[in-house]
Amino acid sequence: MSESASFSAEAYFATQPAPQLLAQEIAGVKEFVARQAAQNRNVVLVTSGGTTVPLELNVVRFLDNFSAGTRGATSAEYFLKAGYAVIFMHRQFSLQPFSRHYSHSTNPFLDFLALEGDGPGADTVGITAAKRADEDLLAVLTAYKRVQTAGTLHTLTFVTVDDYLWLLRAVSQELSVLRRRAMYYLAAAVSDFFLPRQKMSEHKIQSGKGSLHIEMDQVPKVLKPMVEEWTRDGYIVSFKLETDQRLLIPKARAALERYGHQVVIGNELHSRKVQVVFVERKRKPMTFVESWLRIAPAPSAAIHVKEIEEDIVAELLRRHEAWIGEA
Amino acid sequence: MSESASFSAEAYFATQPAPQLLAQEIAGVKEFVARQAAQNRNVVLVTSGGTTVPLELNVVRFLDNFSAGTRGATSAEYFLKAGYAVIFMHRQFSLQPFSRHYSHSTNPFLDFLALEGDGPGADTVGITAAKRADEDLLAVLTAYKRVQTAGTLHTLTFVTVDDYLWLLRAVSQELSVLRRRAMYYLAAAVSDFFLPRQKMSEHKIQSGKGSLHIEMDQVPKVLKPMVEEWTRDGYIVSFKLETDQRLLIPKARAALERYGHQVVIGNELHSRKVQVVFVERKRKPMTFVESWLRIAPAPSAAIHVKEIEEDIVAELLRRHEAWIGEA
């Protein structure tokens, strides 16, 4: 490990360019936060989906992190249902609350529609909903329209790990005016590595020259400045995803010790839809408290299964309430 | 470049595992091809979207190629419109014909729906289409239902470059029964590099140990065995995407000389929606023929713009017809 391989957050923001539309996007966030504050709503920032690391300035190739955005999109729905306002900061094309139920492959949208009338010429008369009595769609649509009317969902989009880091800092700073009433639910799968602008090649890396060598630097650990500088007493929830279950608790504890935030939710790749562990640090006496949250695995790929995010969010609402009460 | 960095197609298929469901998927393709052959339809295999290269066996991180799948999904629609049957082999979650017009961000599906009735209790009565007279949706839906009725679209999904290579070989072999009536439209953005199974780490690569080093091997050049072994006189169209415009024609010519297929369509990343170049090799005398195809750039992000794929497909239909006539 060379010295240059590790950027502090400060060095990172001093050397890497900000996304072009950042100021504009943050103006939108400021307005949203003020509106929610005026209505005495708690606000949660939900980050969701993976980040990319472009290997070229004219991007063709990039390193990516696996994440469809299920955890974030699903959780956002439950936060909204509980009356929170949500800033949903997600990877472009990752799942979103409500529309997540209808991907192009699962329940394709066009299959819900039929042409009105039958026989020749039917295609000229109009469109009608094919499954008028579809209860799932009705429930989703009702919740969606309620949120639209209430104006409690604000969506932001990122693609690269650079977009993500700049947005995270700026949104956190805006949200910090809410002090303890702000929650930060960091479910995005953020790359641990990045390629500094100065090391990128301008054009597409050419093949035909043997094997590909990539060397990347570490992404700065932003939880520390997030706790110490960007937020003020906000309730910060981070996630730890591992493929080796035995690493979950030691790594969650290490993160809490290093960054000093409120809770780490640990999950293992293959069991993450049925169990997670909440890891917290108690101050007096100095101990770690772990509590597992489990749901019964779905008997099949049926539609009406319990989603673990419902319980995760319920548990966090309880803890956030207590956190607000401690002030 | 070490010797081991370069796999022949033969060595690749001998050492890398096949996707689990391959046999099942190919049975579906065989049935589809037989049905189209019985109806005397030309069949085009359209590949679309990027491929991933997993860095770990329990995948969290992967290398990806930029591609939303616009070229492939759009072209597939025009092939279908022209009466071709289409095997649409695409990256999971990349755009698909018809539904591509309605992403979660562009024209979101749920915005087309409204709850029936107004006022309290309205959310219990049902669903109706919000924009009954929407002409764009009507045109898309009509084309979609026609294709469903005709049974001329067969969709296959890949994620990794391994999935892609195995599927490509097997589908090409099935399609080869159609001889010259088969077209292969290879629009997918396929990785030039991969990580052999034997070199993958089992678990998530741990950060905190300095910078990341990745070393990958070259993906075998499959166009050569495709021309010589997997297909029989099929019309093969490959794509060349570059960010440096000056590389387009030399690289297209080199590909034609090396692999001996019918045409390379060259496109530059930033201008690819308004111009492409068709590069062909004539045999007597041995010359290359380049012809540019351009459309007027859209004045704005308006919805009703001409799509260059309409002209690309029209040009290919003409050339494919001539190719069939030469037999």
Side-chain angles (χ1 to χ4, degrees), chain A residues 60-61 109 116 132 192, chain B residues 61 66 109 116 132 192:
Chain A
V60 176
R61 298 197 182 88
F109 159 48
E116 275 183 349
R132 302 175 67 88
D192 292 313
Chain B
R61 297 197 183 86
F66 162 78
F109 159 47
E116 275 184 351
R132 302 176 66 88
D192 291 314

Side-chain angles (χ1 to χ4, degrees), chain A residues 238-309:
Chain A
S238 75
F239 284 80
K240 189 62 83 183
L241 175 71
E242 294 294 336
T243 59
D244 183 347
Q245 174 103 19
R246 294 162 304 177
L247 293 178
L248 275 185
I249 289 178
K251 289 187 71 97
R253 289 180 173 190
L256 289 172
E257 286 205 309
R258 194 172 305 132
Y259 311 124
H261 60 300
Q262 281 66 43
V263 60
V264 175
I265 299 180
N267 48 163
E268 183 276 324
L269 187 64
H270 297 291
S271 63
R272 71 193 189 283
K273 296 194 180 207
V274 293
Q275 66 172 17
V276 300
V277 59
F278 284 63
V279 185
E280 235 187 40
R281 194 167 60 149
K282 297 286 178 206
R283 270 144 232 271
K284 292 169 193 165
M286 191 67 99
T287 50
F288 291 100
V289 183
E290 283 105 31
S291 43
W292 287 89
L293 195 159
R294 292 189 178 89
I295 61 169
S300 72
I303 292 168
H304 292 284
V305 294
K306 162 103 178 174
E307 294 175 315
I308 195 170
E309 288 80 6

Side-chain angles (χ1 to χ4, degrees), chain A residues 146-161:
Chain A
R146 278 197 185 129
V147 164
Q148 278 195 317
T149 305
T152 47
L153 175 61
H154 188 77
T155 301
L156 298 168
T157 303
F158 59 83
V159 176
T160 66
V161 66

Side-chain angles (χ1 to χ4, degrees), chain A residues 58 60-62 64 66 109 111 113 116 123 132 144-146 192 203 206 211 216 243 251, chain B residues 58 60-62 64 66 109 111 113 116 123 132 144-146 192 203 206 211 216 243 251 270:
Chain A
N58 285 290
V60 176
R61 298 197 182 88
F62 54 90
D64 203 340
F66 162 77
F109 159 48
D111 287 346
L113 301 177
E116 275 183 349
D123 54 356
R132 302 175 67 88
Y144 176 69
K145 300 286 177 189
R146 278 197 185 129
D192 292 313
H203 289 294
Q206 293 300 318
S211 56
M216 291 191 184
T243 59
K251 289 187 71 97
Chain B
N58 285 291
V60 176
R61 297 197 183 86
F62 53 90
D64 203 341
F66 162 78
F109 159 47
D111 288 347
L113 301 178
E116 275 184 351
D123 52 356
R132 302 176 66 88
Y144 176 69
K145 300 285 178 190
R146 277 197 186 130
D192 291 314
H203 288 293
Q206 293 300 318
S211 55
M216 290 191 183
T243 59
K251 289 185 70 96
H270 298 292

Side-chain angles (χ1 to χ4, degrees), chain B residues 23-43:
Chain B
Q24 206 169 309
E25 300 207 69
I26 294 312
V29 170
K30 189 188 282 295
E31 191 275 329
F32 180 80
V33 171
R35 190 149 39 83
Q36 306 308 329
Q39 294 174 66
N40 262 324
R41 275 209 188 83
N42 294 345
V43 180

